[in-house]
């Protein structure tokens, strides 16, 4: 067995053993114990973790690559550094005739002070129980799990063996020295002290605040980068992130929303007319009303522009008006009226519009703007076309 360990064997530990296993990686788990795990790194620097990587060597055998690790014993037993300086081949038993099983590959420390009769470090295959819904065996004391391997029913060297591409489940976890940034592989574990850092698989730097991992940009009030998963929730109301398409977004306390919402626009090119002298929001020959909703900004102000192409058809004189009503829910913020509206007094097509300021809005509230129309002469048809509404919040 090539696996080397320090301070396990009663006799025979060489200077080479000691040099190989002094790894200096003790990432605290609590005041006394350290986290078990594998030292990160790869030969070309492209991968977080290549130590103790496992791939197929033959139908029923796998090669475990070289690597270094720390295995924590019980609270009074200390930590065991181990090193595999050259790759090791492990062989799996043939599959059960009827059921699949799940085996567990571990780094295991045997210390006869606490268990058994030997002092050694080994790479060991723990066979699972063949059953209809197989599970991996539990991880024993002073062990670090590397892989789960599903061994199909009937698998053997003579009939194709283990389907390595789908049979392996990587269980390896990393460890770093005190104060080091931990490159996370496998399940995310709680931190050991406030101020500890880790780098997640989606490239998010996180800090342990004493109860949870907090993304580093969140902790300092910075903008959460676009590389962070879109499903990640904010940490506090008012936090910003670089959203999809470069849009700056703000955490409302329950969802990410545009930091600077708007502008808002709605229009229609359908012709419609009215002969009503009272304000109406629907026109003959046009389906439905024209409206838009907007969210009031913190400034409580917005610029409103609306307009239409208006034509009067019929006999006699009169005027065609377009105005808008602004509502917050069922409350009228500003009613329609001639004084607010655009006006046309011509049998020819005239394009008219106006720009006005909405003020004393309630910040964060949703408002609805609806177009209304009327004429001053029931003998005249007031036609409206190319009608539009435009609201620009003032941030």
């Amino acid at each position: 067995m090539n696996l080397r360990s320090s301070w396990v064997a009663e006799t025979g530990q060489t200077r080479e053993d000691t040099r190989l296993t002094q790894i200096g990686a003790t990432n605290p788990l609590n005041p006394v114990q350290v986290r078990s795990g594998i030292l990160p790194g790869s030969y070309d620097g492209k991968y977080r973790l290549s130590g103790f990587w496992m791939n197929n060597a033959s139908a029923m055998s796998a090669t475990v690559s070289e690597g270094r690790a720390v295995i924590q014993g019980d609270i009074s037993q200390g930590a065991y550094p181990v090193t595999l300086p050259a790759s090791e081949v492990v062989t799996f038993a043939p599959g059960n005739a009827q059921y699949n099983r799940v085996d567990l590959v571990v780094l295991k420390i045997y210390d006869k002070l606490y268990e058994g009769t030997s002092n050694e470090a080994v790479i060991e295959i723990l066979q699972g129980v063949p059953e209809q819904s197989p599970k991996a065996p539990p991880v024993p004391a002073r062990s670090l799990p590397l892989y789960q391997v599903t061994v199909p029913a009937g698998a053997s060297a003579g009939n194709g063996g283990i389907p390595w591409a789908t049979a392996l489940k990587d269980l390896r976890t990393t460890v770093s020295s005190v104060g080091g940034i931990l490159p996370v592989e496998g399940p995310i574990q709680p931190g050991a002290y406030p101020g500890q850092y880790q780098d997640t698989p989606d490239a998010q730097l996180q800090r342990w605040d004493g109860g949870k991992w907090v993304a580093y940009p969140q902790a300092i009030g910075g903008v959460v980068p676009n590389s962070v998963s879109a499903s990640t929730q904010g940490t506090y109301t008012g936090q910003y992130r670089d959203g999809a398409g470069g849009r700056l977004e703000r955490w409302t306390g329950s969802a990410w929303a545009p930091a600077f919402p708007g502008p808002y626009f709605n229009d229609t090119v359908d012709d419609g007319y009215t002969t009503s002298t009272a304000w109406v929001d629907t026109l003959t020959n046009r389906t439905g009303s024209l409206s838009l909703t907007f969210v009031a900004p913190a400034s409580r102000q917005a610029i409103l522009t609306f307009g239409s192409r208006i034509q009067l058809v019929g006999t006699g004189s009169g005027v065609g008006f377009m105005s808008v009503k602004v509502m917050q829910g069922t409350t009228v913020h500003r009613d329609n009226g001639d004084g607010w509206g655009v006006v046309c007094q011509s049998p020819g097509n005239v394009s008219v519009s106006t720009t006005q300021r909405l003020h004393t809005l309630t910040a964060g509230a949703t408002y609805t703007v609806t177009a209304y129309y009327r004429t001053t002469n029931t003998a005249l048809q007031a036609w409206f076309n190319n009608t539009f509404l435009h609201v620009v919040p003032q941030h």
Side-chain angles (χ1 to χ4, degrees):
M1 176 65 68
N2 286 324
L3 191 64
R4 310 286 188 92
S5 180
S6 295
W7 318 120
V8 175
E10 293 177 278
T11 60
Q13 178 174 322
T14 67
R15 286 176 294 175
E16 185 179 71
D17 290 334
T18 304
R19 288 194 302 270
L20 282 171
T21 56
Q22 298 316 296
I23 53 183
T26 53
N27 192 201
L29 183 65
N30 55 47
V32 178
Q33 295 175 292
V34 300
R35 174 173 169 167
S36 296
I38 299 168
L39 270 69
S42 60
Y43 287 109
D44 55 11
K46 292 182 179 179
Y47 305 101
R48 291 174 180 264
L49 182 61
S50 61
F52 298 99
W53 179 65
M54 194 169 78
N55 67 336
N56 64 300
S58 64
M60 298 298 294
S61 297
T63 299
V64 179
S65 299
E66 58 272 22
R68 297 187 295 168
V70 174
I71 301 172
Q72 173 66 52
D74 289 344
I75 197 164
S76 63
Q77 296 174 4
Y80 300 84
V82 298
T83 298
L84 183 65
S87 61
E88 187 85 18
V89 175
V90 293
T91 301
F92 294 81
N96 178 264
Q98 185 177 7
Y99 295 117
N100 296 350
R101 73 168 192 271
V102 177
D103 291 352
L104 187 66
V105 181
V106 300
L107 301 180
K108 167 70 174 168
I109 295 291
Y110 284 95
D111 187 340
K112 68 180 183 181
L113 281 175
Y114 311 108
E115 172 194 27
T117 59
S118 64
N119 291 314
E120 60 179 334
V122 298
I123 300 172
E124 192 165 271
I125 298 174
L126 306 178
Q127 281 193 29
V129 177
E131 53 190 352
Q132 194 166 6
S133 299
K135 299 179 182 63
V139 179
R142 291 172 300 281
S143 296
L144 179 66
L146 300 179
Y147 284 87
Q148 286 183 11
V149 181
T150 300
V151 180
S156 67
N159 69 354
I162 296 171
W164 295 106
T166 58
L168 297 180
K169 181 179 180 181
D170 194 346
L171 303 178
R172 295 173 301 160
T173 56
T174 55
V175 67
S176 64
S177 60
V178 175
I181 296 175
L182 181 70
V184 176
E185 290 291 324
I188 293 179
Q189 301 179 24
Y193 56 89
Q196 182 180 357
Y197 287 90
Q198 68 176 16
D199 183 58
T200 66
D202 62 359
Q204 184 184 57
L205 185 63
Q206 295 180 335
R207 179 183 182 274
W208 182 254
D209 71 356
K212 63 182 181 299
W213 290 107
V214 179
Y216 184 71
Q218 301 172 12
I220 62 172
V223 178
V224 180
N226 185 263
S227 59
V228 176
S229 171
S231 63
T232 301
Q233 295 187 347
T235 303
Y236 56 88
T237 300
Q239 179 189 1
Y240 290 93
R241 76 168 183 182
D242 182 21
R247 181 179 70 176
L248 187 64
E249 296 177 333
R250 180 180 181 273
W251 181 251
T252 65
S254 60
W256 290 107
F260 302 102
Y264 304 86
F265 186 86
N266 196 12
D267 70 340
T268 178
V269 295
D270 292 338
D271 280 324
Y273 72 90
T274 184
T275 58
S276 173
T277 57
W279 290 105
V280 292
D281 63 346
T282 58
L283 298 173
T284 302
N285 207 46
R286 181 195 286 177
T287 302
S289 60
L290 180 67
S291 65
L292 63 75
T293 60
F294 72 95
V295 177
S299 70
R300 304 175 62 203
Q301 300 184 70
I303 300 301
L304 166 67
T305 303
F306 61 90
S308 185
R309 190 180 72 186
I310 307 175
Q311 180 184 19
L312 299 176
V313 178
T315 58
S317 62
V319 174
F321 283 101
M322 173 192 171
S323 186
V324 296
K325 181 182 289 188
V326 182
M327 303 282 293
Q328 181 193 351
T330 58
T331 301
V332 177
H333 178 76
R334 200 187 76 179
D335 208 348
N336 48 44
D338 295 352
W340 304 109
V342 294
V343 60
C344 174
Q345 191 176 6
S346 171
N349 286 312
V350 178
S351 293
V352 289
S353 66
T354 182
T355 298
Q356 302 164 6
R357 181 172 68 96
L358 297 175
H359 55 89
T360 63
L361 301 169
T362 300
T366 299
Y367 289 81
T368 302
V369 179
T370 303
Y372 279 80
Y373 321 88
R374 81 179 193 92
T375 181
T376 58
N377 185 347
T378 57
L380 290 175
Q381 294 179 353
W383 283 81
F384 298 86
N385 189 18
N386 294 342
T387 310
F388 73 92
L389 304 170
H390 188 203
V391 173
V392 180
Q394 299 300 285
H395 298 292

